Amino acid sequence: MAIDVYINFNGNCREAVTFYAQVFGTEQPHIMSFGDTPPDPAHPLPEEAKDLVMHTRLNLSGSNVMFSDVFPGMPFVVGNNISLAVVTKNIDEVKSLFEQLKEGGKVGMELQETFWSKLYGSVVDKFGIEWQFNYDSGEPC
């Protein structure tokens, strides 16, 4: 299991990640944009979201740091744009941690299968810390 830092940006994620990769001397990351997601007729993608970064990551000095832009219309507050991401190959661990941390907190997304993970969810715990949970199947994303 790993707990990674997840940083959100307000439209300038691609620029920031490119900068961080240069500063830390890492390879340029694979960037998945919102426009790369499978189309959903029930939820059409706004034009302004298509080039925004949905997900990317860098290994900075031995730590995985993940990044994305906030989706248009979602709140963005500088200083509150960092969450902790639990990434594990143990589905039972994902479920257990999620259930415990949601007590007294607020679920952002119930645990569910997504196109990038067999199990993903998010919760803000009773102390106001946002946690993301992702089952790591070992497949690259």
Side-chain angles (χ1 to χ4, degrees):
M1 177 178 78
I3 297 179
D4 300 331
V5 175
Y6 207 110
I7 305 174
N8 294 115
F9 291 85
N10 197 19
N12 60 343
C13 182
R14 191 177 306 268
E15 176 185 358
V17 169
T18 301
F19 174 73
Y20 297 143
Q22 179 182 355
V23 167
F24 286 91
T26 67
E27 292 182 21
Q28 288 298 314
H30 170 74
I31 295 177
M32 180 189 307
S33 68
F34 286 105
D36 295 331
T37 63
D40 180 353
H43 303 303
L45 191 64
E47 193 62 37
E48 66 270 20
K50 290 183 179 176
D51 289 330
L52 294 176
V53 175
M54 181 180 159
H55 177 77
T56 191
R57 73 175 135 210
L58 293 172
N59 186 288
L60 304 178
S61 301
S63 295
N64 280 323
V65 180
M66 298 181 287
F67 307 86
S68 70
D69 282 310
V70 294
F71 196 78
M74 297 298 290
F76 177 83
V77 179
V78 173
N80 290 345
N81 55 321
I82 297 176
S83 60
L84 299 176
V86 175
V87 180
T88 179
K89 294 180 184 298
N90 184 326
I91 286 180
D92 292 332
E93 187 172 38
V94 169
K95 292 176 181 177
S96 175
L97 293 170
F98 183 88
E99 290 301 316
Q100 291 178 72
L101 286 170
K102 81 177 193 180
E103 288 298 319
K106 182 179 178 189
V107 173
M109 183 175 179
E110 287 289 348
L111 288 174
Q112 60 190 273
E113 186 170 344
T114 66
F115 69 90
W116 70 86
S117 176
K118 291 193 184 297
L119 194 62
Y120 174 85
S122 67
V123 64
V124 175
D125 71 19
K126 63 184 176 183
F127 302 104
I129 304 300
E130 182 178 359
W131 294 86
Q132 297 183 56
F133 297 88
N134 197 54
Y135 168 67
D136 179 6
S137 66
E139 297 176 17
C141 59

